[in-house]
Amino acid sequence: MTLQQIKAQIYSLGTYKQQKIEAYGAMKKELLEKVRDQVLYQSEAELRLENFKKEADQYSDTEYANILAKLENFEQTELEKIKSEYETVTADNVAELNLLSTMKVSEQELLSYLEKYKRNPLAIKKLHEIGAANNIALPSYILKEDRLAELLNVFKRYAKSYHETPIIDSNGSASDLAFMLVLASDELNTALETYSNHFDTALGLSESL
């Protein structure tokens, strides 16, 4: 299951809720007219509305739990993958960094080394120490694990919002949900793109080098 597929499932949950909100409103209006015309008992109308809401809530519960399970599985798989994407510190790396620590270096030189070692968190940490010794403030480094957590939090936030939106539209939830669906699409796409290009932006150096 890819993040694009999970994203589509979250969007489907949102559109499902939107449709159910509209359908519940139309059904309630129709049933109230029947009660007013004495075609239907009040108790029967209330029972139908209750059953409609219960069915929608059960579907939402199931989909939400399914989405969270898929995100958890993806996270575990992705964390293992991330480990393989990082580079380990070699003896040559240690020698180079130790030599660098004895020299007077410029900010631009350190930025170049940051780019060189952008897949090596331990080397990045050493470079920050060298920068501090030279009174140079280097850009903070974002671990891919942290960016993954940020990405998944965006997915979970929208899934939770859709799940918790009631189908009884007493406070304009239908229009709010319609707006949220548009906003979510843009934010999820941006988060996905940022994560996919992590090592190009982890240092914020792509424009300066």
Side-chain angles (χ1 to χ4, degrees), residues 66-84:
N66 185 264
I67 288 168
L68 292 183
K70 288 177 180 177
L71 286 173
E72 184 175 349
N73 288 337
F74 179 87
E75 181 177 22
Q76 297 308 313
T77 302
E78 193 69 7
L79 285 173
E80 290 300 317
K81 180 181 175 183
I82 289 173
K83 291 179 183 178
S84 68

Side-chain angles (χ1 to χ4, degrees), residues 24-41:
Y24 183 90
M27 182 180 182
K28 182 177 181 180
K29 181 180 178 181
E30 179 184 351
L31 291 175
L32 287 177
E33 289 176 354
K34 289 183 177 181
V35 170
R36 184 190 60 201
D37 297 338
Q38 298 184 343
V39 178
L40 191 70
Y41 287 116

Side-chain angles (χ1 to χ4, degrees), residues 13-209:
L13 176 58
T15 55
Y16 172 84
K17 271 300 184 71
Q18 185 182 29
Q19 291 166 0
K20 290 301 178 180
I21 290 170
E22 295 170 352
Y24 183 90
M27 182 180 182
K28 182 177 181 180
K29 181 180 178 181
E30 179 184 351
L31 291 175
L32 287 177
E33 289 176 354
K34 289 183 177 181
V35 170
R36 184 190 60 201
D37 297 338
Q38 298 184 343
V39 178
L40 191 70
Y41 287 116
Q42 178 72 31
S43 58
E44 177 63 23
E46 291 175 354
L47 180 60
R48 291 186 188 183
L49 288 171
E50 182 182 344
N51 288 339
F52 184 92
K53 179 180 179 299
K54 185 181 297 184
E55 180 181 340
D57 288 346
Q58 288 175 344
Y59 177 87
S60 182
D61 289 344
T62 301
E63 278 297 283
Y64 181 56
N66 185 264
I67 288 168
L68 292 183
K70 288 177 180 177
L71 286 173
E72 184 175 349
N73 288 337
F74 179 87
E75 181 177 22
Q76 297 308 313
T77 302
E78 193 69 7
L79 285 173
E80 290 300 317
K81 180 181 175 183
I82 289 173
K83 291 179 183 178
S84 68
E85 293 178 343
Y86 284 134
E87 296 173 352
T88 57
V89 177
T90 66
D92 288 341
N93 297 151
V94 172
E96 181 177 44
L97 292 170
N98 284 338
L99 177 62
L100 194 64
S101 67
T102 66
M103 301 166 56
K104 184 68 177 178
V105 292
S106 68
E107 181 179 0
Q108 192 58 39
E109 286 174 318
L110 285 179
L111 290 177
S112 296
Y113 277 105
L114 283 178
E115 179 66 20
K116 175 181 178 180
Y117 286 109
K118 64 185 179 182
R119 291 179 179 269
N120 196 321
L122 291 177
I124 292 292
K125 181 180 179 181
K126 180 64 176 178
L127 287 169
H128 274 82
E129 293 174 358
I130 295 172
N134 286 272
N135 295 317
I136 298 173
L138 295 176
S140 60
Y141 181 69
I142 304 172
L143 289 171
K144 194 170 184 180
E145 298 95 313
D146 294 338
R147 188 160 269 168
L148 173 63
E150 293 173 1
L151 172 66
L152 295 181
N153 282 338
V154 175
F155 273 64
K156 291 175 183 177
R157 172 160 52 85
Y158 280 110
K160 182 179 181 181
S161 294
Y162 297 153
H163 171 59
E164 293 184 346
T165 299
I167 68 166
I168 302 176
D169 190 9
S170 57
N171 296 307
S173 53
S175 57
D176 289 345
L177 192 54
F179 176 76
M180 191 188 302
L181 284 166
V182 175
L183 181 66
S185 180
D186 291 340
E187 187 173 356
L188 289 172
N189 285 336
T190 298
L192 276 169
E193 183 178 359
T194 300
Y195 182 73
S196 299
N197 300 322
H198 171 73
F199 287 111
D200 294 329
T201 60
L203 298 164
L205 301 178
S206 55
E207 295 182 0
S208 61
L209 291 182

